[in-house]
Amino acid sequence: MTFDVVVSGGGPNGLMVACELALAGVRPVVLERLTSPSPEQRANGMVGQVVRLFQRRGLLERLTGDPRPPVPVPQFMFAAFPLPLRELADNPVYTVMVPQRKIEATLAARAEELGVEIRRGHELTGITQKDDLVVVEVAGPDGNYELEARYLVGADGGKSPVRKMAGIGFPGYTGDEDTVSRSAHVTVPADLRDPVTGGLRVPGYGVIPPFLHHRTERGLVAYAPFPDGRTMLSVTTLDRPEGSAPFSIAELQEAFTHVVGVEVPLGPPAGDGPHMLRRLSGGQTRVADRYRAGRVFLVGDAAHVHSAIGGPGLNLGLQDSVNLAWKLAATVHGWAPDGLLDTYEAERRPAGERVTMHTQAQHVLVGPGPKVTALRTLFGELLREPAVLQHVADLIAGADITYGPSPASPLTGRFVPDLGEATRSGRPLLVDNTGTLAPVAGPWSDRVDVVTAPVDGATALLVRPDCYVAWATAEAAPDAAGLRSALTQWFGEPRG
């Protein structure tokens, strides 16, 4: 059986690729080694542009149950510095605090609605590339078999078998093994919950604010009382290697005492699981030396791994997925311009490098000792400058990533403003508020929809399926030649 695309990996990134492909009328199949969704507690939510991407696709309300559009958070963190984002004129930092398993369930349900076949308990074991297709060997519950597809997407994590089989290198480094992160869902006495801030009141020490990293010269503490009643405590020590005994809440409590200098009673979590109980040593920072090998592509952790500080992983990986999917779909449908698939790496690798850069920088800034404290003092002074605060906020959100050459309009290459339900289709859009451009776009009508929607600062926009602006103008009488050039550049030659 031949599919358009085989996706290896049924986590959020693989499911997002599959949803986007199916939305574009392409037939994918998802291979997932696990027989059922993992009960392991991993990411606790999404941070950055991906929140608005979910809203653009109509997925955010499914995830949160809230029909209102998202609003940016008034405060976030960078390297254990609280960032007063409410002071920014353009705050790009959005968050959704939900467990990863709920994100996966939402995407899996959407994929099934779109007719995606998800094969659980099926593991990719081999790859053979040919001129016009890739042959995938699979070990399934009922035996081994082969699939043929035009393309293969590896969304199979940091240890990606697809990456290894495709011969793609994964340069980088492994972090200091003396750095150990310990995280668990816990209960704390009610009288230690600060009624004003919602933080953790530590007698003899002070209040540790919620949902922020709190640094001492011996490590980091993060206290997260989630809205659903779960409470998670994370403690990172910088000079205490991982022990040989199984991780326990007692060990977490001892690490907290070491970092803060005061003991706080911790109990096991209440309610049904799954509950977090995880200890990680060191950590890796790596970026694949290429995102493509022939007909094989990588997304998410298969393409890049980095520290989880600040929660950038899903923002990075899910945007990889959406960027790649529309370009694969365009190629399958036969209208992709030459070189479109190569723009995937050209656009998304810099995004991966930005995240690995700033997570490494944060790791230095939260390190131990008085020299780091002096560096933090200086960095904290810089954060008082509005331009620096805006720069850091854009970095956290991924809003500093733009696509294409220097734009003629400030909107070109950037994430599109909210266009209502128009972006739910996943199709290229021409937003024409002049009423003059439909004839210009007519030869592309099989792949580009013409809509109207109010947009500040523009009279017309050409929007890619991944919700980035390919062309924009503020002119009342737009340049038709410029629009035709952009249509051809991104969406191929017009119909003959």
Side-chain angles (χ1 to χ4, degrees):
M1 181 179 295
T2 300
F3 288 87
D4 293 323
V5 181
V6 171
V7 180
S8 179
N13 297 319
L15 291 169
M16 190 61 141
V17 170
C19 286
E20 292 290 299
L21 288 169
L23 198 60
V26 168
R27 186 185 186 204
V29 61
V30 177
L31 305 177
E32 169 51 52
R33 177 180 57 84
L34 300 177
T35 56
S36 60
S38 172
E40 180 184 352
Q41 179 65 30
R42 287 173 285 179
N44 289 293
M46 300 187 296
V47 177
Q49 298 275 67
V50 69
V51 176
R52 294 197 290 170
L53 178 62
F54 264 51
Q55 187 259 341
R56 303 293 191 268
R57 285 292 190 263
L59 293 169
L60 189 60
E61 182 177 351
R62 293 178 178 225
L63 189 61
T64 65
D66 189 343
R68 296 172 298 180
V71 295
V73 292
Q75 181 173 273
F76 200 66
M77 58 187 171
F78 184 86
F81 287 96
L83 302 178
L85 301 176
R86 61 174 62 85
E87 299 176 6
L88 294 177
D90 182 18
N91 178 3
V93 182
Y94 295 77
T95 66
V96 172
M97 305 306 290
V98 295
Q100 181 171 319
R101 64 181 182 276
K102 187 172 183 180
I103 298 170
E104 288 186 12
T106 300
L107 289 171
R110 179 58 174 153
E112 290 173 0
E113 286 177 9
L114 293 167
V116 175
E117 183 180 354
I118 302 173
R119 300 186 181 182
R120 298 194 181 276
H122 293 247
E123 181 176 6
L124 183 148
T125 58
I127 299 169
T128 302
Q129 294 205 56
K130 300 183 178 181
D131 289 341
D132 58 348
L133 54 81
V134 57
V135 179
V136 176
E137 299 169 27
V138 185
D142 300 320
N144 300 335
Y145 62 96
E146 291 185 347
L147 288 176
E148 293 183 346
R150 293 185 63 177
Y151 297 99
L152 168 65
V153 176
D156 48 351
K159 298 180 180 179
S160 172
V162 169
R163 185 186 65 239
K164 296 171 184 176
M165 293 176 193
I168 298 175
F170 205 37
Y173 75 93
T174 300
D176 186 352
E177 292 186 359
D178 285 350
T179 299
V180 181
S181 174
R182 300 168 175 88
S183 301
H185 285 119
V186 298
T187 54
V188 298
D191 61 346
L192 297 186
R193 297 176 181 269
D194 184 66
V196 177
T197 66
L200 179 64
R201 189 168 53 82
V202 182
Y205 183 82
V207 175
I208 295 177
F211 302 109
L212 295 172
H213 286 119
H214 179 79
R215 174 193 178 263
T216 77
E217 291 195 357
R218 295 179 298 277
L220 289 175
V221 172
Y223 171 72
F226 291 106
D228 63 4
R230 298 172 303 133
T231 296
M232 190 174 75
L233 186 67
S234 295
V235 180
T236 300
T237 55
L238 307 167
D239 57 357
R240 298 169 75 83
E242 178 180 347
S244 58
F247 178 50
S248 65
I249 290 177
E251 181 181 330
L252 177 68
Q253 185 173 22
E254 188 275 334
F256 180 92
T257 303
H258 170 73
V259 170
V260 176
V262 177
E263 183 175 345
V264 166
L266 302 176
D272 296 332
H275 297 300
M276 172 79 77
L277 187 66
R278 184 175 66 190
R279 179 177 60 196
L280 299 174
S281 296
Q284 297 194 59
T285 298
R286 300 182 183 277
V287 179
D289 58 20
R290 50 196 171 126
Y291 283 20
R292 177 186 186 182
R295 293 181 172 271
V296 178
F297 294 82
L298 305 177
V299 299
D301 288 355
H304 39 68
V305 294
H306 49 80
S307 167
I309 191 167
L314 286 175
N315 188 28
L316 183 60
L318 289 168
Q319 289 201 72
D320 287 349
S321 300
V322 178
N323 185 294
L324 175 61
W326 80 266
K327 296 169 183 177
L328 285 174
T331 305
V332 169
H333 288 312
W335 55 256
D338 290 343
L340 182 66
L341 283 177
D342 291 330
T343 68
Y344 167 61
E345 178 174 342
E347 292 181 343
R348 293 309 298 165
R349 200 172 196 281
E353 290 171 341
R354 294 288 285 171
V355 168
T356 56
M357 177 275 292
H358 79 69
T359 53
Q360 289 179 79
Q362 291 187 72
H363 185 73
V364 172
L365 283 165
V366 300
K371 291 182 179 180
V372 174
T373 300
L375 178 62
R376 290 180 61 84
T377 300
L378 176 59
F379 193 80
E381 292 174 1
L382 294 174
L383 283 174
R384 295 177 196 146
E385 296 293 329
V388 176
L389 182 61
Q390 183 72 61
H391 184 92
V392 172
D394 289 343
L395 185 65
I396 291 167
D400 60 338
I401 294 295
T402 59
Y403 299 146
S406 298
S409 162
L411 291 172
T412 307
R414 296 190 174 276
F415 197 76
V416 72
D418 190 358
L419 302 177
E421 295 189 3
T423 50
R424 294 190 179 188
S425 68
R427 284 173 58 83
L429 301 174
L430 173 61
V431 182
D432 176 21
N433 294 323
T434 72
T436 66
L437 297 175
V440 178
W444 287 268
S445 61
D446 59 325
R447 68 205 79 151
V448 179
D449 294 337
V450 180
V451 300
T452 59
V455 179
D456 290 340
T459 56
L461 300 174
L462 184 62
V463 183
R464 305 180 346 173
D466 57 358
C467 294
Y468 278 78
V469 177
W471 171 88
T473 182
E475 301 295 326
D479 174 21
L483 174 58
R484 289 191 191 95
S485 176
L487 284 162
T488 303
Q489 176 187 356
W490 291 109
F491 308 125
E493 295 294 330
R495 292 194 310 270

